[in-house]
Amino acid sequence: MTLLWCKNCLLPNSRPNLIIEENGNCSACNNFKKKKKINWKKRKQEFIKLVKKIKNKNLRYDCVIPVSGGKDSTWQTIKCLEYGLNPLTVTWKTPQRTKIGQDNLDNLISLGVDHIDWSINPKIEKKLTLESFKKFGAVAIPMHLAIFNIPDLIASHFKIPFVIWGENSALEYGSLSKKENQKILTKKWFKSYGVTNNTEANDWVSKTLPKNKLSSYFNYKTYSQDKFKTESIFLGYFFKWDPQNTFKISKKFGFKADSKTRTGYYKFADIDDYFISIHHWLKWYKFGFTRVFDNLSLEIRNKRISKPEALKIIKSEGFKPPLEDIKKFCNYCDISKKQFFDFAEKFRNRKIWKKNKDNIFYIENFLINGWNWHEN
């Protein structure tokens, strides 16, 4: 496989579902250009109509908002409160929440919302995490199964018709096709873009992971004949999503960035969980890029940084494994550091990674000339 790189941003065709299109730009960059033609005033009016429709139902809660306490979920909550909705906020409680993550979640709740912090059986969660790492080289499958399922479980139980998400990540990062719905999070969307390696809860059932112990990962219909239906919608369909803008707004309402980046380029993103850094670092082995490529590509599209400047940042900082977080992960899963890297190595993509005459791995047609491959 020969890597092809977007001529505008920093993304390669090895990124899942990303396409380098005929004009040489990736689908994410082309989607961004299309967004400039959107009539956001019209979309705003569409949201106002939706709010009136919800409020007319006189419900216990108007909607469910999945939240982590991050800048995007803080923004979602601010927007919904701004338009008069009474949300029930819901969080999958990560087993490795950071202090700043907890502080920001507490701040979000203090904006004036009811909140449920959903913890999963720690023994089952640990087993599933290790199984997903061994099988797919992915540590965040349990997280994404939980994040996308628990809000729907709660909405169905309380008869709340709408779950309001943030941005449509498939659209923002270039995966969504022209024919797919930009507004609604469907089962098909989850299967394709939910970052679960196309798995659902039922795919993980085994003797050590029995179905009745995986209840948090199964949808409401699995255990109920209730015909009540929830609808999941993206707030980013109605209001323009930009990470810098959502941070700016959330900061005004008490959200705090970290003192340094945990992964990627932003100090205000991916800071609520210790394991998310490992999830993003493993992209280097599997796809030949990391979180910083995604983040800086967004900055390039928004014309806040040039491509040469972005490349300079990456080259000057390099890539180093998040060793402290890896240590926490190893302790959590009861494996050694050597076992961790042995498992990770199994998922190095040999279609893009080659070995040179000195037996050192390198990536053919890499975006940056003169890269130091000795630590990869």
Side-chain angles (χ1 to χ4, degrees), residues 73-207:
S73 58
T74 301
W75 171 74
Q76 289 161 239
T77 304
I78 292 166
K79 276 292 180 186
C80 287
L81 291 174
E82 179 185 339
Y83 284 87
L85 291 172
N86 178 34
L88 173 61
T89 57
V90 176
T91 304
W92 159 70
K93 188 174 183 180
T94 165
Q96 294 292 323
R97 185 179 286 164
T98 61
K99 182 182 183 302
I100 194 167
Q102 184 63 59
D103 290 345
N104 281 325
L105 180 58
D106 292 341
N107 176 72
L108 183 152
I109 298 166
S110 74
L111 297 176
V113 292
D114 287 354
H115 177 255
I116 294 175
D117 210 6
W118 185 299
S119 297
I120 293 175
N121 180 330
K123 294 181 180 179
I124 293 297
E125 194 165 42
K126 184 183 294 188
K127 284 181 182 178
L128 182 56
T129 300
L130 184 55
E131 281 295 306
S132 67
F133 182 44
K134 288 180 178 179
K135 189 172 183 178
F136 293 111
V139 301
I141 289 176
M143 175 182 77
H144 289 108
L145 285 171
I147 284 173
F148 287 110
N149 190 62
I150 290 170
D152 185 66
L153 277 177
I154 292 174
S156 299
H157 178 77
F158 284 101
K159 301 291 188 290
I160 305 170
F162 290 95
V163 179
I164 299 182
W165 297 86
E167 83 280 14
N168 185 331
S169 56
L171 176 67
E172 301 297 340
Y173 293 102
S175 308
L176 203 68
S177 71
K178 297 176 183 178
K179 296 180 181 179
E180 292 178 285
N181 196 308
Q182 297 180 19
K183 180 167 63 174
I184 301 174
L185 194 164
T186 62
K187 184 177 181 179
K188 181 182 176 183
W189 186 99
F190 167 72
K191 187 82 172 178
S192 299
Y193 310 118
V195 199
T196 63
N197 283 77
N198 296 314
T199 66
E200 296 178 336
N202 202 53
D203 297 314
W204 294 97
V205 174
S206 66
K207 288 183 179 179

Side-chain angles (χ1 to χ4, degrees), residues 1-6 10-14 20 284 287-289 293 311 351-354 362-371 373:
M1 176 184 182
T2 301
L3 284 190
L4 299 177
W5 298 87
C6 176
L10 310 177
L11 297 184
N13 61 339
S14 57
I20 305 297
W284 182 230
F287 310 121
F289 75 100
F293 283 67
L311 291 171
K351 292 180 180 179
I352 61 174
W353 285 94
K354 309 296 179 183
Y362 72 102
I363 296 175
E364 288 186 322
N365 194 35
F366 190 57
L367 184 63
I368 301 172
N369 294 324
W371 185 260
W373 296 108

